[in-house]
Structure formats: C-alpha cells, structure tokens
Amino acid sequence: MLTGRTSRVRSQPLILIADDDLVMRCTMGGVLRESGYAIVEAENGLQALELAETHRPDVIVLDLIMPGIDGFEVCTRIRQNPELADTPVLVLTGLEESQAILHAFEIGATDFATKPVSAPLLSHRVRFMLRSTVALRDLRDSESRLADAQRLAQLGNWEWDVNSGTVVGSVEASGLLGFGDSGQRHHIEDMYARVDLCDLPMIREAMASAIQGDCALDVSCRLVLPGQQSRSVHLLGRVIRGQNGDEALRMTGTIQDITERTRAEDRIRSLAYYDGLTGLPNRLLFTDKVRMAMSLASRRGSKLALLLVDLDNFKGINDSLGHNAGDKVLKAVGERLRDVIRDHDTVVRDPFRDEFCPVARLGGDEFLIAIANLKSGEDAAVVAGRLLASLRAPLIVDENELFMAASIGISVFPDDGSDFEEIFKNADVALYHAKDAGRNTAEFFSASLNEAAMYRMLIETSMRRSLERNEMSLHYQPQYDVVENRLLGAEALLRWQHPDLGSVSPAQFIPLAERIGMIAPLTEFVMTSACRQLREWQQLGAHDLTIAVNLSAQLFRQPDLLLQVCAIPASMGIDASSIELEITETALLDDAQEAERVLALLRARGFRIALDDFGAGFSSLSHLRRFTLDTLKIDRSFIRDLVGSTREIEIVGALIALARRLGVEPVAEGIEEISQQAVLVSLGCRVMQGYLFGRPMSVADFTTLVQQAGNPACPALAA
C-alpha cells in the first residue's frame, strides 16, 4: 500500500481499487498493471477514503458492497470533497437491481460494471474514463481562460430558453445583469427589470423581432441595478430554431459592458455638437433635430415655429465690462431661455428626446429656439412674450446689475417655408424687422399672423396688470324661485374692460388666466368683491341672498391655495352658507379622491356646493353618486330646444327627478322664454336663471333690484 500524499504529476495514471474481496483486488490489479497503470488497493470503505484523499487517484474502482462503510457512502463522501469531486468512479456491483444502480448514479458514480467483470471490459472502461477526465480538465481549463478573457473584455454570454422563458448566463453576464452566481436560471422578465425604463420598449421590440426572424439581435441599452450607477451594455444574439426552421427554441448571445466607451463617445459628441460656453446644442446638432421635427410636423399636420433671439446692445457689455463678463451674461441668458421653454405650458411641445434642449446657441449673442406641435403659429407669440419678460429681470455679473433686452424673429413651418433653410432665413428677416421696430420686441415673418399674435401678447401682458389698474369688475345674474316669485341670489360673473381693446370676452381671458397662473388672484378678487357686496346687500335687508362663485378646475390641483381663497368670507364676517361654490365636472376628473376630500373640507366650513353645466360631462352620474352636492345646474344645452322636443323634455325631466331623489336642488340656466319656464315648472324645477329673468348686471342695477319694496321679485314674473 502506498503512503504519503502523491503529486498529480505522474508518469503513469493511478488507479484506486477498493474491494473487500482479495481475489478480486488481485485480479483487477493485475489486469490494469498490464495495461500500464499504477495501482493502489483498499480492502474496505474507510481505507478507500483515506487513500483517495492521500493519493488523489485518476480513477477509482469501487465495490458497492463492503463491510463497515459501503460503496454508496464512499462515493457520496468523495463527491463532497472538492479535490475529488471530478475524479471518475467506476462502481462494481453484484446486484442486478436497477434501483441500486440508479442510486449509485444519483450520488455521483461515473459508470458501473457487474461482477465478475471481464478483463477487456475493465481495461476499456478505465481507459474511456481517463480520456473523459482529460477532456473534462481541458474543458475546464478552456472555460477558465474564456472566463478570464471575458472578464478582461467585460463580455459575457447568455442563453434564453424561449419556451420556458428562463435565462442563464456566464459569470460575467450574471454580474452585469445583477443575477449573482452564474448557472442560475432567471426569468426573462428579471432581465427586462434591469433595463432602464426609457430603453425597455426598444429592447422588448428588438428581442421580439429577432424571435420572429426579422433580424438578429444587435442593440445597446442602459442597465440600472439597485445601489449602482447606470451602465451601458451591448447585446448580440442569434435564434436557434427547430428542425422545420419555424419555431424559435432559444436565443444565445453575448452582453458587453460598453459604459466607458459610451462615455468617451458622449464626450466626443459633446465637443462636436454642443456649445462649449453655454452647454446648449450648436447649430449642427440643432439643425438636424429641427429637420426631424419638421418631418414629424408634416405627417401630423401640425406647425413648428423657429424663434431667432438676438440680444440688444450686447456689444456694449463686452466693451465696458470685458469678454469674461460677456461670457457670463451669455451663460445666464442661455439658462433663462432654457428654463422658459422647459417650464411652461401646453403651448410648448418638446418634440425631441429628454436629453435634447430645444434651445441652441448659434454663436455670438444669437440663440435659436424651436417650438413644435403647435396648433396655431400665433401660439409662438406667447412663448416669445415669456422669453422677453424673463430677460428683463436684472442679471448680477461681477457685482454689476445688468438689464438685458432682446429682439426676436419668428417664422412658422410650413406657413413661411418648406425646409429648414427657408424657415431660418425668414426668421432672420423677421428679426431685422423687430430691431427696426425699436428692439425689445418680437416680430413674425407673416404680417397677418403677426397681427393676431401681437393681440394675444397684448392680452396676456395687460391681464397681469388688470387688477392693479381696476379694469376687472363683477356683474351679477339673478336667480329666482319662480314658484314663489322670489329673488334667491345671483351668480357673480367676472368682466374685463380693457382701456384700449374694450370689453374682453371671459371665454378669451379665463383660459388665458389659467394658462399663465393668474386664475388664483382673479378668484381671490371675485371672492373678495362678492363678499363685500353681499355684506352691503344684507345691510339693505336681503339677509337670505346667496352669491354663487365659480371655481376653476385648476384650483383643485392646488388645494392649499383653494382653501386659502375660501377663507375670505369668514375674514369679512360673511356666513359661508351665503356662498355657493360652483364647480364643473372637469374639476372632479383628474383626481376624484382628492376632489372629494377638498369638497368635504369646504362643506365642513359651511359652503354650499353646486355642480355646474350638469349633463355636459361623460361622468355626471358617477359624480352624483360620489360627491355630496347642494345644487345641480342643468346645462343650457338641454334648455335651448326644450319646447316642442319630447326627447329633451324626457331627458330634463329625468335629470330633475334624479336630483330631487338625491336631495339636490335642480337649477335650470339659460332660460330665455316664458314657454321654457312653464315646461320646467311642470317638470318640478322651480329655481331658474337666464335672460328671461335678467342679464348679468352691474352692482348698481342689482342693488336696485334688491332695494325693491317687499320681497324682491322678478319683473318678468310680476308682469
């Protein structure tokens, strides 16, 4: 018996024979020695384990039935030893039971032979197992070299079983995907979960196209792993199909970390396509992106505006303060222009990807802005007005307070040209017109569009100062209980009398106020004026009078501001029950749960709640079920054709009956004829509003109505 630990570098392969039968050991040892192998023998299982650990043989021939520790246990322990885990084990058994042989394979046997084993068969089996061992070791060495190469190249391989949806990857691939150890199977959705949300639709489409046979997989994307920075990877893959070539069985591919390469490319791209001073796109990149946006606008039938911005008197800054100060001014102006475009409303539609800024610096003190997806070219004037306003705010540069101004030329695609060069040329023409007009202004290339746009700019600019100039006022349209012939209250309606433009329609300035952030101060003005006037009417004896105030849907998106406005009645000593807050269905659509909470707070303060224009929205009935209301104002569209229309009468009758059933007071608005009033009374509606009872009237006229002797009544009803 050999003793001591033997090196694996041998002149002859070493075979360990473990059998309690001395004759069998001698017989097999003789056969294998004649075949050129060195032999070490063990007469029981415990000795076999000791010799295997000491000598680490190339092959172990193991009898399954031995006293003490049998061959099954020996094989199990051998496989638990990392240094022996790959050693081939040939088990010998006199058992003919298939279960014993199956169990031997389950615990790690490489092959088996039944006793007595013939000499040629034994020699053949050992030779085959040695060849397999050499091949396995070569494979392991090759895999190790491949793993090292992949690690250096940050490249890994993966395989996707299409039918089961599972993915398995190499060490490097598993590391890149955050899968942990290699060899473990994960679902394809686990792989998708690592992809940046912006890239996910593209990756899914690329994988699906490869499976369908449209193309091979060749795509780059970003991965986002928990606790790690985003990394860029490149995926290659090919599909393995069934024998008929139709069914996709699996996809094999590689994944490579290209983060550093992508960063280097980004740096090169930044130098080539972005202005080094402001960080804005330069003309080369901007022109390419605008051409793409123009192509998209052509397909959609929308418009795109180019705004060419040139700073007025910028040369004076360079001459007086130096070029360093001039550079700081240009950087600050670029930031302001970008902020105006990024932060404002539906007029501004950025057609580009998130990383592209629709503001470019052309050079010197010139900037170019693209506004896409415009319904009307004149919408660009609103943006131009904001740009000019943003530049008027002073700049602090090197402790100097500077006041900037700019001229803007605007041209619109496709109205003013069919390609970028023509649109840009016309914007330049418009810019010179703006400078000739006195600077610090914007001009359209199109004269007709310029006139409409300037009117819109004037409206917006004037509205911001309308309150301080006392141009806004309230008119009041009366509401009557026609059964008792009694004045119940009025709806407060905002009116704007512009000193130059005359009366501006609420349909024109209310949406504008919502868009430019003026609706809150206007609502505060309405609430304050209405409460002040109601207090005067109450002093005249009209203690039961109710004033209805309209609330914008936009205020429901700012509940804190809304509740602040609705605190005005209490601050003026007005009982909140004298104020009815009219809301439209639009205010309830965006966030019904939040709207329900805010309405509950308003009702808790004592306000009456009215749902205005009922029937015009698609979810009216759900609102009646969910929200607690006091008044239901039936939309005037149902009243217009009420007389002589059986269908309209049935609809209005159903609305009135539904309101009554829910304990809500129905109010009909838009009543212009006595015949309409008669039909509504017959249907059970008694509270009405419309030209028949009085148009919106000034404070003085409504005060006269309140001062009528006795119970103020409607002249139309009294006649």
Side-chain angles (χ1 to χ4, degrees):
M1 182 176 67
L2 297 175
T3 60
R5 184 173 295 276
T6 304
S7 170
R8 293 299 298 267
V9 181
R10 306 184 178 98
S11 59
Q12 294 176 300
L14 177 64
I15 313 299
L16 169 61
I17 301 174
D19 197 316
D20 62 328
D21 188 331
L22 177 60
V23 176
M24 285 297 299
R25 291 202 309 273
C26 292
T27 302
M28 291 187 291
V31 170
L32 294 176
R33 285 189 182 91
E34 290 180 1
S35 298
Y37 304 119
I39 305 298
V40 60
E41 298 178 11
E43 60 185 21
N44 55 54
L46 184 59
Q47 190 179 45
L49 288 172
E50 293 175 350
L51 292 175
E53 182 179 352
T54 302
H55 298 289
R56 297 172 61 192
D58 297 293
V59 175
I60 299 174
V61 180
L62 178 63
D63 185 17
L64 287 178
I65 306 302
M66 291 187 293
I69 300 177
D70 62 15
F72 294 104
E73 180 65 19
V74 172
C75 187
T76 300
R77 294 190 186 185
I78 285 173
R79 291 298 179 237
Q80 292 172 348
N81 186 333
E83 294 185 351
L84 299 172
D86 295 330
T87 303
V89 177
L90 174 64
V91 296
L92 303 176
T93 176
L95 303 175
E96 296 181 356
E97 296 181 4
S98 58
Q99 284 297 112
I101 297 172
L102 179 60
H103 180 52
F105 280 117
E106 289 175 347
I107 61 177
T110 308
D111 201 354
F112 81 99
T114 57
K115 297 171 65 175
V117 60
S118 66
L121 178 61
L122 177 62
S123 180
H124 171 75
R125 291 284 177 85
V126 170
R127 187 181 305 111
F128 175 78
M129 294 171 76
L130 285 171
R131 288 176 181 173
S132 299
T133 301
V134 172
L136 179 61
R137 288 172 182 166
D138 291 343
L139 177 60
R140 292 286 171 81
D141 291 341
S142 176
E143 289 178 343
S144 178
R145 289 192 296 273
L146 176 61
D148 289 340
Q150 288 185 344
R151 187 162 47 254
L152 290 173
Q154 295 181 300
L155 175 73
N157 58 281
W158 52 271
E159 182 174 285
W160 172 27
D161 187 316
V162 177
N163 292 324
S164 67
T166 57
V167 178
V168 63
S170 66
V171 173
E172 191 67 24
S174 297
L176 287 173
L177 293 169
F179 283 165
D181 296 336
S182 63
Q184 295 183 358
R185 292 193 171 273
H186 298 265
H187 198 273
I188 186 66
E189 291 298 330
D190 295 332
M191 180 174 169
Y192 289 148
R194 271 74 174 169
V195 179
D196 187 286
L197 290 178
C198 295
D199 296 340
L200 184 56
M202 176 264 295
I203 288 295
R204 287 186 181 274
E205 182 179 352
M207 297 282 273
S209 295
I211 291 297
Q212 294 166 5
D214 297 338
C215 59
L217 181 68
D218 186 353
V219 66
S220 297
C221 68
R222 290 164 294 180
L223 299 180
V224 181
L225 304 183
Q228 299 184 26
Q229 291 184 341
S230 173
R231 65 177 63 170
S232 298
V233 297
H234 185 71
L235 294 168
L236 291 174
R238 67 183 184 91
V239 177
I240 308 299
R241 302 187 180 277
Q243 293 183 351
N244 56 12
D246 295 331
E247 181 184 8
L249 300 179
R250 60 187 184 276
M251 180 186 292
T252 62
T254 61
I255 179 172
Q256 185 173 20
D257 189 336
I258 58 170
T259 304
E260 291 304 319
R261 188 181 79 189
T262 302
R263 289 173 181 169
E265 291 173 350
D266 288 343
R267 286 193 290 270
I268 295 172
R269 188 181 300 109
S270 177
L271 293 173
Y273 295 116
Y274 289 87
D275 176 54
L277 177 63
T278 63
L280 297 173
N282 61 19
R283 180 167 182 167
L284 180 64
L285 173 61
F286 195 81
T287 301
D288 181 56
K289 294 294 184 179
V290 172
R291 285 195 177 108
M292 294 170 56
M294 292 170 71
S295 176
L296 182 62
S298 294
R299 295 196 298 271
R300 291 180 174 177
S302 60
K303 299 181 184 296
L304 178 145
L306 276 187
L307 283 68
L308 184 57
V309 182
D310 184 85
L311 300 182
D312 297 333
N313 301 319
F314 177 73
K315 184 176 182 297
I317 294 176
N318 277 337
D319 293 343
S320 59
L321 299 179
H323 289 279
N324 185 49
D327 288 346
K328 293 179 181 179
V329 169
L330 292 175
K331 290 178 65 176
V333 168
E335 291 174 1
R336 288 193 181 182
L337 297 180
R338 183 166 46 196
D339 289 343
V340 169
I341 298 301
R342 181 175 56 212
D343 292 343
H344 278 292
D345 53 60
T346 55
V347 172
V348 180
R349 302 291 190 185
D350 185 352
F352 315 114
R353 292 175 60 89
D354 291 340
E355 68 266 23
F356 180 72
C357 172
V359 181
R361 182 186 177 214
L362 299 185
D365 60 346
E366 280 193 335
F367 298 84
L368 190 60
I369 297 170
I371 312 292
N373 199 27
L374 297 176
K375 293 182 179 179
S376 172
E378 69 182 70
D379 289 338
V382 177
V383 182
R386 290 169 182 156
L387 293 173
L388 294 174
S390 72
L391 293 177
R392 293 189 191 108
L395 287 173
I396 306 299
V397 176
D398 296 336
E399 299 182 354
N400 296 300
E401 187 177 49
L402 304 178
F403 291 88
M404 302 301 301
S407 300
I408 301 178
I410 308 172
S411 63
V412 179
F413 171 82
D415 301 354
D416 300 329
S418 58
D419 55 36
F420 175 83
E421 286 72 19
E422 188 175 5
I423 295 297
F424 179 78
K425 179 191 71 175
N426 291 336
D428 194 39
V429 172
L431 174 64
Y432 278 102
H433 288 166
K435 288 188 174 294
D436 290 343
R439 301 174 181 263
N440 193 26
T441 188
E443 289 282 343
F444 274 90
F445 177 75
S446 167
S448 60
L449 195 59
N450 188 61
E451 182 179 351
M454 292 306 104
Y455 176 79
R456 182 167 178 171
M457 284 182 64
L458 176 61
I459 290 291
E460 179 176 341
T461 304
S462 300
M463 172 172 283
R464 296 184 184 278
R465 305 184 64 183
S466 60
L467 291 177
E468 62 184 71
R469 291 178 174 178
N470 296 319
E471 296 170 3
M472 294 289 181
S473 64
L474 290 188
H475 279 50
Y476 298 88
Q477 185 170 31
Q479 292 180 348
Y480 281 92
D481 182 332
V482 298
V483 175
E484 296 184 1
N485 189 18
R486 181 167 60 92
L487 177 66
L488 297 178
E491 180 179 356
L493 300 170
L494 187 61
R495 294 293 183 261
W496 182 13
Q497 187 67 29
H498 192 279
D500 299 321
L501 303 175
S503 178
V504 182
S505 168
Q508 188 174 23
F509 72 79
I510 293 296
L512 179 60
E514 291 179 326
R515 191 163 59 243
I516 67 175
M518 279 286 293
I519 197 64
L522 287 181
T523 305
E524 183 179 355
F525 169 79
V526 171
M527 184 70 78
T528 302
S529 301
C531 289
R532 182 183 300 114
Q533 194 58 55
L534 179 60
R535 187 169 55 192
E536 293 182 10
W537 289 330
Q538 288 176 345
Q539 292 172 355
L540 295 175
H543 300 293
D544 296 331
L545 210 62
T546 299
I547 300 298
V549 175
N550 290 280
L551 294 182
S552 166
Q554 193 177 85
L555 284 179
F556 274 80
R557 304 185 190 105
Q558 308 172 68
D560 293 339
L561 189 58
L562 174 59
L563 294 175
Q564 180 180 334
V565 170
C566 291
I568 293 174
S571 69
M572 300 181 66
I574 297 295
D575 192 325
S577 63
S578 299
I579 304 295
E580 186 167 76
L581 303 176
E582 292 194 4
I583 60 175
T584 62
E585 292 176 315
T586 305
L588 308 178
L589 288 177
D590 291 342
D591 189 342
Q593 185 174 357
E594 178 65 8
E596 186 175 15
R597 184 187 72 84
V598 174
L599 287 181
L601 291 174
L602 295 175
R603 287 187 60 83
R605 294 187 180 187
F607 289 101
R608 294 174 55 82
I609 306 296
L611 184 60
D612 199 11
D613 301 332
F614 181 71
F618 62 85
S619 56
S620 303
L621 295 181
S622 67
H623 294 157
L624 288 180
R625 176 177 56 83
R626 180 165 189 172
F627 302 104
T628 303
L629 305 169
D630 297 289
T631 301
L632 198 67
K633 300 193 74 172
I634 301 173
D635 187 66
R636 66 185 66 244
S637 62
F638 292 106
I639 307 301
R640 187 183 307 113
D641 301 321
L642 183 63
V643 179
S645 173
T646 302
R647 180 179 179 82
E648 293 295 326
I649 291 174
E650 289 177 349
I651 292 174
V652 174
L655 295 178
I656 293 172
L658 179 60
R660 293 291 185 196
R661 182 69 61 88
L662 295 173
V664 179
E665 182 68 42
V667 176
E669 52 184 354
I671 313 302
E672 298 183 1
E673 302 173 4
I674 293 179
S675 57
Q676 294 172 335
Q677 172 195 322
V679 173
L680 288 166
V681 171
S682 69
L683 294 174
C685 180
R686 59 188 299 161
V687 181
M688 301 182 194
Q689 173 183 339
Y691 286 177
L692 178 65
F693 313 107
R695 292 174 177 269
M697 56 187 70
S698 66
V699 171
D701 290 340
F702 197 86
T703 301
T704 300
L705 195 64
V706 172
Q707 288 175 324
Q708 288 180 354
N711 196 9
C714 172
L717 296 174

